[in-house]
Structure formats: C-alpha cells, structure tokens
Amino acid sequence: MTEPEPAGETIEARLRRALGPRSIVLVGLMGAGKSTVGRRLANRLGMIFKDADNEIEAAAGLTIPDIFAIYGEPSFREGEERVISRLIREGPMVLATGGGAFMRDSTRARISEGGLSVWLKADLDVLMRRVRKRGNRPLLQTENPEETMRQLMEARHPVYGGADVMVLSRDVSHDRVVQDVMEALDSHLNGPARQGIAAQ
C-alpha cells in the first residue's frame, strides 16, 4: 500500500519526491534559455544547477570556441558526452546542455538512464533575438546566421521531440517559463489528475 501524499504538498516538494535520484536535463537550441531557466528552476526546487558547457570548459581548460577550432566538433562531442555522463552520475541536479548534446545517440541514452529530459522549444525570431546578444556561438559564425539557425531547427527539432517533456520558451518572464516547466514535469511524473487536484 502506497503512502498517501502529504496534505497541501507544494509542487516543488512533489517534484523532488517524484524525481528521486534523477536529474532534470534541459535540451534545445542555443538561445532557448536553458542556462537562465535552469538556474532559476534549480533555485525553486532546492537543487544544484550545472551548465554542461561551463563544466566542459573547466575540464578542458579551453573555451568552447577554442575546443571547436583546435580539435573539431567530433572531439568536442566525445568530451561533452563524458562530462554529461559524469554529471548525471553525480545527480540529482538541474543540468543545462549544449544545443548539440541531445543529437548524439549515446548521450541521449545517458540522459535517459539518469534523468528526465525537457526540451525548451522557441521560435526562430525569439532564438535569433537572444543569440545576437552574444557573439560566442561557433555554429553561427557563418555568412547567414539566421539561415544556419533555420537549418539547425530542421535537423534537430525531430530529435528534440524525443525528450520526455516539451515546454515553449516564449518572450515572457523567465519565472513564467520555470513555472511552465514545473507544471509540465508534474503532469508527466504524477499524471494530469494530480495537476487537477493542485489547481482546485
């Protein structure tokens, strides 16, 4: 017989209990808000936040643009998978991953083994407005960054669609997107009926 849920349990407590040792892994294109939303989500849930790109740079002693330039993308992806595997083993945490991480079969398998994947999906104009604020995106160092981003969306969206949960990253406050992520996870982990009870 399962224990009854505590009366008046908060969504934060309910998610922590349902997650157990698993991490929340944010996936999606650059500019989707994985790091910003991830940091605030971790804060709401009282969990550690890690950014895979920052951890890769710390492990390599190089910036990601430098790793791409010196070693190439295939070598970067191998290192990325090792770092993500290590972080997930350390869990539970909220982990923001680079845009290409989820494209690699073996990295997706690692994420699935120890975490729940959340795809932050954003429209092209939203992504471009955000990425133009930062010039350190190796994959956008092209003559037509917007066309490059469109091609990335076409290639990656079908794969991101395999994530456990999808949440729209819109031009609203970061806290609103965080709430959307928590509600989507709550529905995924505890069933829509649970959300209905919580909303009453």
Side-chain angles (χ1 to χ4, degrees), residues 104-139:
R104 191 176 164 105
D105 291 348
S106 46
T107 304
R108 280 202 306 281
R110 299 282 171 280
I111 291 170
S112 179
E113 284 163 16
L116 277 176
S117 50
V118 177
W119 173 21
L120 289 182
K121 181 182 183 183
D123 291 336
L124 178 64
D125 60 330
V126 173
L127 294 172
M128 292 311 298
R129 209 161 37 246
R130 291 173 181 172
V131 298
R132 283 194 180 107
K133 295 174 185 171
R134 291 172 62 190
N136 62 341
R137 309 285 190 174
L139 294 180

mmCIF file of all heavy atoms in Angstrom, residues 104-139:
data_model
loop_
_atom_site.group_PDB
_atom_site.id
_atom_site.type_symbol
_atom_site.label_atom_id
_atom_site.label_comp_id
_atom_site.label_asym_id
_atom_site.label_seq_id
_atom_site.Cartn_x
_atom_site.Cartn_y
_atom_site.Cartn_z
ATOM 1 N N ARG A 104 23.358 13.285 -30.140
ATOM 2 C CA ARG A 104 24.216 12.099 -30.118
ATOM 3 C C ARG A 104 23.472 10.955 -29.417
ATOM 4 O O ARG A 104 23.071 11.074 -28.259
ATOM 5 C CB ARG A 104 25.514 12.455 -29.396
ATOM 6 C CG ARG A 104 26.622 11.445 -29.487
ATOM 7 C CD ARG A 104 27.859 12.040 -28.786
ATOM 8 N NE ARG A 104 28.847 11.030 -28.497
ATOM 9 C CZ ARG A 104 29.990 10.877 -29.172
ATOM 10 N NH1 ARG A 104 30.265 11.671 -30.185
ATOM 11 N NH2 ARG A 104 30.854 9.943 -28.826
ATOM 12 N N ASP A 105 23.308 9.825 -30.116
ATOM 13 C CA ASP A 105 22.535 8.694 -29.571
ATOM 14 C C ASP A 105 22.999 8.286 -28.180
ATOM 15 O O ASP A 105 22.186 8.086 -27.272
ATOM 16 C CB ASP A 105 22.643 7.470 -30.499
ATOM 17 C CG ASP A 105 21.923 7.681 -31.826
ATOM 18 O OD1 ASP A 105 21.167 8.669 -31.938
ATOM 19 O OD2 ASP A 105 22.113 6.874 -32.746
ATOM 20 N N SER A 106 24.318 8.143 -28.022
ATOM 21 C CA SER A 106 24.844 7.645 -26.747
ATOM 22 C C SER A 106 24.634 8.658 -25.621
ATOM 23 O O SER A 106 24.394 8.281 -24.471
ATOM 24 C CB SER A 106 26.330 7.289 -26.879
ATOM 25 O OG SER A 106 27.036 8.305 -27.557
ATOM 26 N N THR A 107 24.696 9.963 -25.954
ATOM 27 C CA THR A 107 24.435 10.980 -24.929
ATOM 28 C C THR A 107 22.963 10.951 -24.528
ATOM 29 O O THR A 107 22.626 11.040 -23.344
ATOM 30 C CB THR A 107 24.834 12.381 -25.434
ATOM 31 O OG1 THR A 107 26.207 12.361 -25.838
ATOM 32 C CG2 THR A 107 24.669 13.427 -24.342
ATOM 33 N N ARG A 108 22.061 10.787 -25.506
ATOM 34 C CA ARG A 108 20.629 10.666 -25.187
ATOM 35 C C ARG A 108 20.381 9.475 -24.276
ATOM 36 O O ARG A 108 19.564 9.547 -23.357
ATOM 37 C CB ARG A 108 19.793 10.502 -26.470
ATOM 38 C CG ARG A 108 19.522 11.776 -27.206
ATOM 39 C CD ARG A 108 18.302 11.682 -28.118
ATOM 40 N NE ARG A 108 18.342 10.565 -29.058
ATOM 41 C CZ ARG A 108 19.042 10.557 -30.181
ATOM 42 N NH1 ARG A 108 19.793 11.589 -30.508
ATOM 43 N NH2 ARG A 108 19.004 9.516 -30.998
ATOM 44 N N ALA A 109 21.087 8.375 -24.535
ATOM 45 C CA ALA A 109 20.918 7.174 -23.702
ATOM 46 C C ALA A 109 21.355 7.450 -22.263
ATOM 47 O O ALA A 109 20.674 7.046 -21.315
ATOM 48 C CB ALA A 109 21.718 6.013 -24.286
ATOM 49 N N ARG A 110 22.469 8.170 -22.105
ATOM 50 C CA ARG A 110 22.950 8.511 -20.745
ATOM 51 C C ARG A 110 21.912 9.381 -20.030
ATOM 52 O O ARG A 110 21.633 9.193 -18.847
ATOM 53 C CB ARG A 110 24.272 9.289 -20.817
ATOM 54 C CG ARG A 110 25.419 8.569 -21.468
ATOM 55 C CD ARG A 110 26.082 7.542 -20.552
ATOM 56 N NE ARG A 110 27.024 6.744 -21.297
ATOM 57 C CZ ARG A 110 26.737 5.720 -22.073
ATOM 58 N NH1 ARG A 110 25.477 5.350 -22.220
ATOM 59 N NH2 ARG A 110 27.673 5.031 -22.691
ATOM 60 N N ILE A 111 21.382 10.364 -20.764
ATOM 61 C CA ILE A 111 20.389 11.269 -20.168
ATOM 62 C C ILE A 111 19.152 10.484 -19.750
ATOM 63 O O ILE A 111 18.607 10.679 -18.659
ATOM 64 C CB ILE A 111 20.035 12.397 -21.160
ATOM 65 C CG1 ILE A 111 21.237 13.339 -21.343
ATOM 66 C CG2 ILE A 111 18.798 13.176 -20.695
ATOM 67 C CD1 ILE A 111 21.098 14.347 -22.480
ATOM 68 N N SER A 112 18.714 9.563 -20.603
ATOM 69 C CA SER A 112 17.523 8.765 -20.316
ATOM 70 C C SER A 112 17.723 7.865 -19.099
ATOM 71 O O SER A 112 16.792 7.634 -18.320
ATOM 72 C CB SER A 112 17.185 7.933 -21.551
ATOM 73 O OG SER A 112 16.061 7.135 -21.318
ATOM 74 N N GLU A 113 18.946 7.350 -18.939
ATOM 75 C CA GLU A 113 19.238 6.441 -17.807
ATOM 76 C C GLU A 113 19.137 7.150 -16.467
ATOM 77 O O GLU A 113 18.675 6.571 -15.493
ATOM 78 C CB GLU A 113 20.670 5.883 -17.945
ATOM 79 C CG GLU A 113 20.822 4.787 -18.996
ATOM 80 C CD GLU A 113 22.285 4.563 -19.379
ATOM 81 O OE1 GLU A 113 23.187 5.020 -18.635
ATOM 82 O OE2 GLU A 113 22.530 3.941 -20.426
ATOM 83 N N GLY A 114 19.596 8.401 -16.418
ATOM 84 C CA GLY A 114 19.689 9.042 -15.100
ATOM 85 C C GLY A 114 18.924 10.337 -14.956
ATOM 86 O O GLY A 114 19.085 11.047 -13.957
ATOM 87 N N GLY A 115 18.102 10.666 -15.952
ATOM 88 C CA GLY A 115 17.415 11.946 -15.859
ATOM 89 C C GLY A 115 16.128 11.996 -16.640
ATOM 90 O O GLY A 115 15.726 11.034 -17.294
ATOM 91 N N LEU A 116 15.477 13.139 -16.541
ATOM 92 C CA LEU A 116 14.286 13.454 -17.331
ATOM 93 C C LEU A 116 14.661 14.607 -18.242
ATOM 94 O O LEU A 116 15.158 15.637 -17.771
ATOM 95 C CB LEU A 116 13.139 13.876 -16.429
ATOM 96 C CG LEU A 116 12.306 12.765 -15.800
ATOM 97 C CD1 LEU A 116 11.282 13.381 -14.860
ATOM 98 C CD2 LEU A 116 11.588 11.955 -16.866
ATOM 99 N N SER A 117 14.432 14.444 -19.551
ATOM 100 C CA SER A 117 14.810 15.485 -20.497
ATOM 101 C C SER A 117 13.644 16.435 -20.738
ATOM 102 O O SER A 117 12.500 16.012 -20.890
ATOM 103 C CB SER A 117 15.277 14.865 -21.816
ATOM 104 O OG SER A 117 14.343 13.907 -22.284
ATOM 105 N N VAL A 118 13.961 17.730 -20.748
ATOM 106 C CA VAL A 118 12.970 18.777 -21.000
ATOM 107 C C VAL A 118 13.452 19.599 -22.189
ATOM 108 O O VAL A 118 14.517 20.219 -22.130
ATOM 109 C CB VAL A 118 12.791 19.704 -19.774
ATOM 110 C CG1 VAL A 118 11.801 20.822 -20.090
ATOM 111 C CG2 VAL A 118 12.344 18.909 -18.558
ATOM 112 N N TRP A 119 12.664 19.593 -23.266
ATOM 113 C CA TRP A 119 13.010 20.380 -24.448
ATOM 114 C C TRP A 119 12.398 21.769 -24.305
ATOM 115 O O TRP A 119 11.181 21.910 -24.264
ATOM 116 C CB TRP A 119 12.474 19.692 -25.706
ATOM 117 C CG TRP A 119 12.620 20.479 -26.985
ATOM 118 C CD1 TRP A 119 13.494 21.497 -27.234
ATOM 119 C CD2 TRP A 119 11.852 20.310 -28.193
ATOM 120 N NE1 TRP A 119 13.331 21.968 -28.516
ATOM 121 C CE2 TRP A 119 12.333 21.262 -29.126
ATOM 122 C CE3 TRP A 119 10.826 19.446 -28.565
ATOM 123 C CZ2 TRP A 119 11.808 21.370 -30.420
ATOM 124 C CZ3 TRP A 119 10.294 19.555 -29.852
ATOM 125 C CH2 TRP A 119 10.790 20.502 -30.763
ATOM 126 N N LEU A 120 13.267 22.786 -24.239
ATOM 127 C CA LEU A 120 12.808 24.167 -24.292
ATOM 128 C C LEU A 120 12.760 24.564 -25.767
ATOM 129 O O LEU A 120 13.793 24.710 -26.416
ATOM 130 C CB LEU A 120 13.755 25.096 -23.519
ATOM 131 C CG LEU A 120 13.748 24.971 -21.999
ATOM 132 C CD1 LEU A 120 14.693 25.995 -21.393
ATOM 133 C CD2 LEU A 120 12.351 25.136 -21.422
ATOM 134 N N LYS A 121 11.559 24.713 -26.287
ATOM 135 C CA LYS A 121 11.366 24.984 -27.717
ATOM 136 C C LYS A 121 11.008 26.461 -27.913
ATOM 137 O O LYS A 121 10.100 26.972 -27.267
ATOM 138 C CB LYS A 121 10.234 24.094 -28.256
ATOM 139 C CG LYS A 121 9.964 24.267 -29.741
ATOM 140 C CD LYS A 121 8.795 23.395 -30.185
ATOM 141 C CE LYS A 121 8.565 23.515 -31.687
ATOM 142 N NZ LYS A 121 7.393 22.734 -32.135
ATOM 143 N N ALA A 122 11.752 27.121 -28.808
ATOM 144 C CA ALA A 122 11.497 28.535 -29.072
ATOM 145 C C ALA A 122 11.399 28.779 -30.570
ATOM 146 O O ALA A 122 11.988 28.061 -31.370
ATOM 147 C CB ALA A 122 12.608 29.389 -28.468
ATOM 148 N N ASP A 123 10.657 29.811 -30.941
ATOM 149 C CA ASP A 123 10.525 30.187 -32.348
ATOM 150 C C ASP A 123 11.830 30.802 -32.849
ATOM 151 O O ASP A 123 12.630 31.324 -32.069
ATOM 152 C CB ASP A 123 9.393 31.202 -32.520
ATOM 153 C CG ASP A 123 8.016 30.596 -32.274
ATOM 154 O OD1 ASP A 123 7.885 29.363 -32.425
ATOM 155 O OD2 ASP A 123 7.094 31.348 -31.911
ATOM 156 N N LEU A 124 11.988 30.799 -34.175
ATOM 157 C CA LEU A 124 13.210 31.311 -34.799
ATOM 158 C C LEU A 124 13.489 32.757 -34.409
ATOM 159 O O LEU A 124 14.624 33.093 -34.042
ATOM 160 C CB LEU A 124 13.096 31.189 -36.325
ATOM 161 C CG LEU A 124 14.280 31.726 -37.139
ATOM 162 C CD1 LEU A 124 15.546 30.922 -36.856
ATOM 163 C CD2 LEU A 124 13.965 31.699 -38.632
ATOM 164 N N ASP A 125 12.470 33.625 -34.462
ATOM 165 C CA ASP A 125 12.726 35.038 -34.158
ATOM 166 C C ASP A 125 13.149 35.236 -32.707
ATOM 167 O O ASP A 125 14.013 36.077 -32.412
ATOM 168 C CB ASP A 125 11.507 35.906 -34.507
ATOM 169 C CG ASP A 125 10.251 35.514 -33.731
ATOM 170 O OD1 ASP A 125 10.114 34.329 -33.393
ATOM 171 O OD2 ASP A 125 9.406 36.398 -33.472
ATOM 172 N N VAL A 126 12.598 34.450 -31.800
ATOM 173 C CA VAL A 126 12.981 34.522 -30.377
ATOM 174 C C VAL A 126 14.442 34.087 -30.212
ATOM 175 O O VAL A 126 15.234 34.750 -29.547
ATOM 176 C CB VAL A 126 12.045 33.641 -29.513
ATOM 177 C CG1 VAL A 126 12.543 33.563 -28.077
ATOM 178 C CG2 VAL A 126 10.625 34.174 -29.556
ATOM 179 N N LEU A 127 14.805 32.971 -30.850
ATOM 180 C CA LEU A 127 16.181 32.466 -30.762
ATOM 181 C C LEU A 127 17.176 33.489 -31.316
ATOM 182 O O LEU A 127 18.205 33.764 -30.697
ATOM 183 C CB LEU A 127 16.321 31.147 -31.526
ATOM 184 C CG LEU A 127 15.541 29.952 -30.981
ATOM 185 C CD1 LEU A 127 15.628 28.780 -31.951
ATOM 186 C CD2 LEU A 127 16.058 29.536 -29.605
ATOM 187 N N MET A 128 16.885 34.033 -32.487
ATOM 188 C CA MET A 128 17.817 34.966 -33.118
ATOM 189 C C MET A 128 17.975 36.232 -32.286
ATOM 190 O O MET A 128 19.084 36.758 -32.151
ATOM 191 C CB MET A 128 17.352 35.316 -34.540
ATOM 192 C CG MET A 128 17.425 34.163 -35.524
ATOM 193 S SD MET A 128 19.024 33.273 -35.543
ATOM 194 C CE MET A 128 20.142 34.582 -36.065
ATOM 195 N N ARG A 129 16.887 36.722 -31.716
ATOM 196 C CA ARG A 129 16.973 37.926 -30.881
ATOM 197 C C ARG A 129 17.897 37.672 -29.690
ATOM 198 O O ARG A 129 18.676 38.538 -29.294
ATOM 199 C CB ARG A 129 15.562 38.300 -30.414
ATOM 200 C CG ARG A 129 15.379 39.767 -30.164
ATOM 201 C CD ARG A 129 13.957 40.259 -30.133
ATOM 202 N NE ARG A 129 12.992 39.366 -29.537
ATOM 203 C CZ ARG A 129 12.002 38.790 -30.239
ATOM 204 N NH1 ARG A 129 11.884 38.967 -31.527
ATOM 205 N NH2 ARG A 129 11.133 38.009 -29.632
ATOM 206 N N ARG A 130 17.822 36.480 -29.137
ATOM 207 C CA ARG A 130 18.638 36.167 -27.956
ATOM 208 C C ARG A 130 20.097 35.903 -28.313
ATOM 209 O O ARG A 130 21.000 36.370 -27.616
ATOM 210 C CB ARG A 130 18.051 34.945 -27.234
ATOM 211 C CG ARG A 130 16.709 35.229 -26.575
ATOM 212 C CD ARG A 130 16.097 33.958 -26.038
ATOM 213 N NE ARG A 130 14.804 34.162 -25.404
ATOM 214 C CZ ARG A 130 14.016 33.175 -25.007
ATOM 215 N NH1 ARG A 130 14.377 31.909 -25.200
ATOM 216 N NH2 ARG A 130 12.855 33.432 -24.438
ATOM 217 N N VAL A 131 20.354 35.132 -29.383
ATOM 218 C CA VAL A 131 21.744 34.767 -29.680
ATOM 219 C C VAL A 131 22.548 35.944 -30.217
ATOM 220 O O VAL A 131 23.767 35.958 -30.111
ATOM 221 C CB VAL A 131 21.857 33.566 -30.661
ATOM 222 C CG1 VAL A 131 21.235 32.318 -30.070
ATOM 223 C CG2 VAL A 131 21.258 33.887 -32.025
ATOM 224 N N ARG A 132 21.870 36.945 -30.775
ATOM 225 C CA ARG A 132 22.600 38.118 -31.295
ATOM 226 C C ARG A 132 23.244 38.925 -30.173
ATOM 227 O O ARG A 132 24.148 39.722 -30.416
ATOM 228 C CB ARG A 132 21.652 39.025 -32.106
ATOM 229 C CG ARG A 132 21.360 38.464 -33.493
ATOM 230 C CD ARG A 132 20.701 39.508 -34.412
ATOM 231 N NE ARG A 132 20.436 38.921 -35.720
ATOM 232 C CZ ARG A 132 19.230 38.581 -36.163
ATOM 233 N NH1 ARG A 132 18.169 38.750 -35.387
ATOM 234 N NH2 ARG A 132 19.068 38.075 -37.376
ATOM 235 N N LYS A 133 22.787 38.695 -28.948
ATOM 236 C CA LYS A 133 23.360 39.425 -27.807
ATOM 237 C C LYS A 133 24.737 38.885 -27.435
ATOM 238 O O LYS A 133 25.482 39.516 -26.705
ATOM 239 C CB LYS A 133 22.425 39.318 -26.586
ATOM 240 C CG LYS A 133 21.081 40.003 -26.797
ATOM 241 C CD LYS A 133 20.155 39.736 -25.613
ATOM 242 C CE LYS A 133 18.777 40.301 -25.878
ATOM 243 N NZ LYS A 133 17.805 39.882 -24.848
ATOM 244 N N ARG A 134 25.048 37.672 -27.911
ATOM 245 C CA ARG A 134 26.346 37.048 -27.579
ATOM 246 C C ARG A 134 27.007 36.555 -28.865
ATOM 247 O O ARG A 134 26.378 35.910 -29.680
ATOM 248 C CB ARG A 134 26.135 35.862 -26.622
ATOM 249 C CG ARG A 134 25.680 36.279 -25.242
ATOM 250 C CD ARG A 134 25.293 35.074 -24.404
ATOM 251 N NE ARG A 134 26.399 34.169 -24.193
ATOM 252 C CZ ARG A 134 26.273 32.952 -23.655
ATOM 253 N NH1 ARG A 134 25.091 32.518 -23.308
ATOM 254 N NH2 ARG A 134 27.322 32.187 -23.489
ATOM 255 N N GLY A 135 28.300 36.862 -29.013
ATOM 256 C CA GLY A 135 28.991 36.511 -30.254
ATOM 257 C C GLY A 135 29.838 35.255 -30.166
ATOM 258 O O GLY A 135 30.711 35.035 -31.001
ATOM 259 N N ASN A 136 29.601 34.437 -29.136
ATOM 260 C CA ASN A 136 30.489 33.282 -28.905
ATOM 261 C C ASN A 136 29.831 31.961 -29.306
ATOM 262 O O ASN A 136 29.959 30.956 -28.623
ATOM 263 C CB ASN A 136 30.904 33.224 -27.421
ATOM 264 C CG ASN A 136 29.713 33.032 -26.498
ATOM 265 O OD1 ASN A 136 28.577 33.276 -26.873
ATOM 266 N ND2 ASN A 136 29.985 32.600 -25.274
ATOM 267 N N ARG A 137 29.095 31.965 -30.393
ATOM 268 C CA ARG A 137 28.396 30.753 -30.845
ATOM 269 C C ARG A 137 29.125 30.197 -32.067
ATOM 270 O O ARG A 137 28.933 30.696 -33.185
ATOM 271 C CB ARG A 137 26.947 31.081 -31.227
ATOM 272 C CG ARG A 137 26.170 31.864 -30.166
ATOM 273 C CD ARG A 137 25.771 31.005 -28.994
ATOM 274 N NE ARG A 137 24.833 31.699 -28.113
ATOM 275 C CZ ARG A 137 24.228 31.156 -27.085
ATOM 276 N NH1 ARG A 137 24.455 29.897 -26.794
ATOM 277 N NH2 ARG A 137 23.406 31.849 -26.326
ATOM 278 N N PRO A 138 29.974 29.169 -31.886
ATOM 279 C CA PRO A 138 30.778 28.666 -33.020
ATOM 280 C C PRO A 138 29.958 28.279 -34.238
ATOM 281 O O PRO A 138 30.374 28.530 -35.371
ATOM 282 C CB PRO A 138 31.496 27.443 -32.434
ATOM 283 C CG PRO A 138 31.480 27.630 -30.966
ATOM 284 C CD PRO A 138 30.244 28.427 -30.651
ATOM 285 N N LEU A 139 28.781 27.686 -34.026
ATOM 286 C CA LEU A 139 27.992 27.202 -35.159
ATOM 287 C C LEU A 139 27.321 28.334 -35.941
ATOM 288 O O LEU A 139 26.813 28.119 -37.032
ATOM 289 C CB LEU A 139 26.928 26.208 -34.684
ATOM 290 C CG LEU A 139 27.448 24.882 -34.106
ATOM 291 C CD1 LEU A 139 26.289 24.003 -33.673
ATOM 292 C CD2 LEU A 139 28.318 24.136 -35.115
#
